[in-house]
Amino acid sequence: MTAGGKISEPGAEGPPAVAHKALYDRAAETAVLGACLLGRLDVVAAYREVLPGNPFYVVKHAEVWRHICSLADDGIPPDHLTVAERWKERGARFVDPDDRVWLLELYGQAPLFANTAHAQTVAKWAAVRSVVEVGLRLHQLGEAADLDRVDQMLNQAKADLAAVVIDRPTRQPWHEHLVDGAAFALDVPASVPLLWGADDGRVLWAEGESLMLVGPPGVGKSTIAGQVVAARLGLTGEVLRLPVRAGGRVLWLACDRPAQIARSLRRTIGREDWRDVIAERLVVWKGPPPADFGQRPDLLLAMARDADADTVVIDSMKDVCTGLTEDAPAAGYNRARQMALANGVQLLELHHTTKYGPNGAAPTELANVYGNQQLTGGAGSVVLLWGKAGDVQVTLSHLKPVQDVVGPYLVSHDHMAGTSTIEREPDLVLLAAHAPAGITADEAARAIKQTTKPRAADIEHARRQLERLVARGLLLKAGRRNVADPNSPATYHAAAQEEDDR
C-alpha cells in the first residue's frame, strides 16, 4: 500500500488520450472490486445491473472485473483466491506473484456495507470518458474537413454522439477487445470452425465470418436462408448436402417485404410439431431497423443482444443501410458487421447483384455484387444464386470461398415444400471408374464446370477435389498419362476398380 493507505496496484492507467486529467475515481473502483471479492454473487449481480460492460479505467481493475464476471457466469463465488486462479488460467498477463498479494489487499479494502453508490460513480466516470473520446474524434473529424463530404461528416458526428447518449450501457471499453498475440495466432483451431460445410474443404459459412447470399429477386435466397435457419435451430441437419451446425437463438431482420418472407418461412418451417422450438428460438423484426446501420454501426450488435440471438439474418442489406455504393455508408455497414462478428454474432446477409456476366450469363466476379467493394471485402463467403424470378431451377456458384470453391450446382426449389436439392453434381469417383485410363484434373474440371475450356483456377479446384478423394481412399493417384512427356498430367483411378483389376 502507499503511505496514504491506497492500494498500489500494478498496471497502467487508462487510455493516454485522457491521461492529462484523472477522469475516474480510484477509491470507487477499488470499493466495487473489493466488495465483489467477498464472494457474494448477489452483490456482483447488483453491480452488473449498474455498470455498463467493463467501465473500469485502471487496466488491472478492468482485468479483475472481467474475471469476476466470468466466475459469476459460471456460478462460482468470486473471492480473491478464485479470481487469482481464473486469472492464471485465462489471463496471459498474470505473471507477477505480487498480483496475488494485491488481490488480497483489494479484498481488504471492501466497504463495510456494499451498495451501488460506488458502482454508479464508476459508471458516471465511464460516461464522462466516452464524451471526451467522442470529443477528440469530432475534433479530428473537423481537422480533416472536406467540404465535399460535409453531410457524411455530420452523419458520423451524430452517430458518435448518439452512441454515447443512447447506447452507453452497451458500449464496451477498448481493453475488452485486447487479446495477447500468442492466443490470437496460436490458439486458433487447426481447421475452419464450420457453421455450414464439410471437413473436406467445402465450406459455405465459417464461424466468425459473414455469409453473403446474393442474387436477383425471386431466385430463392429467402428459401435457402430459411432452410439454413431451420438447421441452426436444430430442426434439420443438412442443406444442399452440407451439414449445418445447430446454434442458439436466431434474429431474422425481415426488412424487405416481410409478408413474403413470412410465407416463405411458413413453407420451410411451418410444421406444428416444431412450433415450440420456433417460438422459443426464432425472433423476427418486421420492417426496416430503427436506424441506418451505416450511420449507427453499433445498432446491429445492440439488436442481436436485445434478442439474445447468436445468429442474425439480414433480409436484405439494402434495407438496413442506404447508399451502399458510397464509401462512407458501406464502411459504416462493414463496421456494424465486424462489431457483431467480434462479439460472437454470426451473420447471414441477403443481398442483390447489379450486373450480368458476359453475354447475359451469370455473374462470375465479386464486382457484379451490388454496392461498394467494402461489402464483399468484409464478407467471409459470397454465394450466388442465379436465375429468373420464380425459376424452379437456379444455379449456385461460389464467388468468394472460405477454403475451396463449392459448386457450381444446379439447384431445384420445391416452392410448395420450401426445400431445395442439388440436381447436378459430378461424381468424380464414378467418372474415374468409367474411365479405363483414369481422369485428369482438366477432365474433372470440364465435368464440374460443364465446359470444354475450363480456366486454370477451375483445373486447380478440380485437382484439390481429386486429392481429397485420394486422402479418403476413394481414388488412387497414378503417374503421368504419357510417361514420355514430362508435362503430361497425373491421372486418378477409382480405388475399387484398382482392387478388382488385381
Side-chain angles (χ1 to χ4, degrees):
M1 290 188 177
T2 63
K6 294 181 179 180
I7 300 175
S8 55
E9 66 277 292
E13 303 287 321
V18 294
H20 63 283
K21 183 177 180 180
L23 300 181
Y24 75 109
D25 187 320
R26 183 185 299 274
E29 291 194 0
T30 57
V32 169
L33 297 177
C36 291
L37 291 176
L38 295 175
R40 289 181 54 185
L41 290 172
D42 59 329
V43 172
V44 177
Y47 283 170
R48 293 179 80 173
E49 289 291 325
V50 176
L51 296 172
N54 193 331
F56 292 87
Y57 178 77
V58 178
V59 174
K60 284 288 187 181
H61 293 175
E63 191 82 357
V64 172
W65 177 247
R66 182 165 69 90
H67 297 306
I68 286 172
C69 293
S70 172
L71 288 164
D73 289 339
D74 293 340
I76 301 173
D79 58 38
H80 65 286
L81 294 175
T82 57
V83 168
E85 288 305 311
R86 181 61 58 93
W87 199 350
K88 183 178 180 181
E89 293 171 3
R90 302 186 181 182
R93 286 175 291 180
F94 188 88
V95 294
D96 190 343
D98 289 343
D99 287 329
R100 292 182 182 272
V101 177
W102 170 64
L103 282 173
L104 185 59
E105 293 177 349
L106 194 62
Y107 164 81
Q109 290 290 306
L112 293 177
F113 301 100
N115 58 65
T116 60
H118 291 118
Q120 290 171 351
T121 299
V122 173
K124 289 177 181 178
W125 276 117
V128 170
R129 293 196 300 276
S130 295
V131 172
V132 173
E133 291 165 8
V134 169
L136 291 171
R137 288 201 299 272
L138 293 179
H139 177 74
Q140 294 169 354
L141 193 63
E143 288 289 322
D146 181 347
L147 293 182
D148 293 331
R149 302 170 69 90
V150 170
D151 289 341
Q152 296 176 11
M153 181 178 72
L154 291 175
N155 287 335
Q156 183 62 54
K158 291 176 183 177
D160 284 346
L161 288 172
V164 173
V165 176
I166 299 174
D167 288 330
R168 179 173 56 83
T170 66
R171 287 169 57 85
Q172 298 295 317
W174 60 272
H175 46 257
E176 276 288 281
H177 297 283
L178 290 179
V179 181
D180 71 85
F184 180 78
L186 304 179
D187 294 346
V188 296
S191 58
V192 176
L194 305 177
L195 294 180
W196 182 18
D199 292 332
D200 60 7
R202 294 177 298 154
V203 181
L204 289 176
W205 192 7
E207 183 179 336
E209 303 178 31
S210 70
L211 165 60
M212 186 187 293
L213 189 59
V214 303
V219 295
K221 296 188 296 294
S222 293
T223 298
I224 295 291
Q227 294 169 65
V228 173
V229 165
R232 287 289 286 166
L233 297 179
L235 300 172
T236 59
E238 288 189 350
V239 178
L240 300 179
R241 301 185 189 175
L242 290 174
V244 178
R245 195 178 84 200
R249 207 156 187 244
V250 176
L251 168 63
W252 191 305
L253 301 182
C255 306
D256 185 9
R257 297 168 294 177
Q260 290 189 21
I261 295 172
R263 290 195 294 272
S264 176
L265 283 176
R266 181 179 179 83
R267 293 189 293 267
T268 305
I269 60 176
R271 288 176 44 174
E272 279 300 323
D273 56 329
W274 289 353
R275 175 178 286 273
D276 291 344
V277 174
I278 297 169
E280 179 183 353
R281 298 180 55 196
L282 175 63
V283 61
V284 179
W285 174 279
K286 295 173 60 176
D292 191 298
F293 288 174
Q295 298 178 16
R296 288 282 309 279
D298 57 305
L299 182 58
L300 172 57
L301 176 59
M303 293 182 73
R305 284 178 168 169
D306 187 60
D308 193 25
D310 69 352
T311 302
V312 176
V313 179
I314 298 177
D315 191 358
S316 64
M317 288 170 58
K318 66 178 177 56
D319 301 287
V320 300
C321 180
T322 56
L324 288 175
T325 59
E326 302 173 13
D327 286 345
Y333 176 83
N334 189 52
R335 179 172 173 78
R337 164 201 278 161
Q338 302 304 333
M339 287 174 64
L341 293 171
N343 284 275
V345 178
Q346 312 303 328
L347 295 180
L348 172 53
E349 305 161 324
L350 277 58
H351 195 37
H352 299 90
T353 53
T354 185
K355 301 175 183 177
Y356 294 91
N359 301 318
T364 58
E365 300 177 351
L366 291 175
N368 300 131
V369 177
Y370 177 78
N372 191 280
Q373 64 180 2
Q374 295 182 76
L375 302 179
T376 54
S381 176
V382 181
V383 174
L384 169 71
L385 288 178
W386 186 255
K388 295 181 180 179
D391 277 357
V392 175
Q393 290 188 332
V394 298
T395 59
L396 180 149
S397 55
H398 211 172
L399 300 184
K400 184 178 183 182
V402 178
Q403 285 186 306
D404 289 339
V405 175
V406 177
Y409 297 145
L410 182 64
V411 175
S412 289
H413 294 309
D414 184 337
H415 292 295
M416 295 300 295
T419 58
S420 305
T421 56
I422 295 175
E423 294 296 335
R424 186 181 69 216
E425 182 181 16
D427 187 330
L428 297 183
V429 175
L430 185 62
L431 192 65
H434 286 84
I439 60 171
T440 65
D442 178 82
E443 291 165 344
R446 295 183 187 193
I448 293 171
K449 293 293 185 179
Q450 297 291 300
T451 179
T452 58
K453 295 181 179 180
R455 302 175 303 163
D458 298 332
I459 296 173
E460 175 59 22
H461 168 57
R463 187 191 65 77
R464 292 183 184 181
Q465 285 189 263
L466 292 168
E467 292 290 345
R468 286 198 299 268
L469 293 171
V470 170
R472 293 169 58 189
L474 300 176
L475 289 181
L476 295 174
K477 185 176 182 180
R480 296 190 299 271
R481 176 166 289 177
N482 184 352
V483 179
D485 181 3
N487 295 319
S488 180
T491 56
Y492 297 82
H493 303 257
Q497 182 184 41
E498 291 290 319
E499 292 175 359
D500 291 342
D501 292 342
R502 288 196 293 271

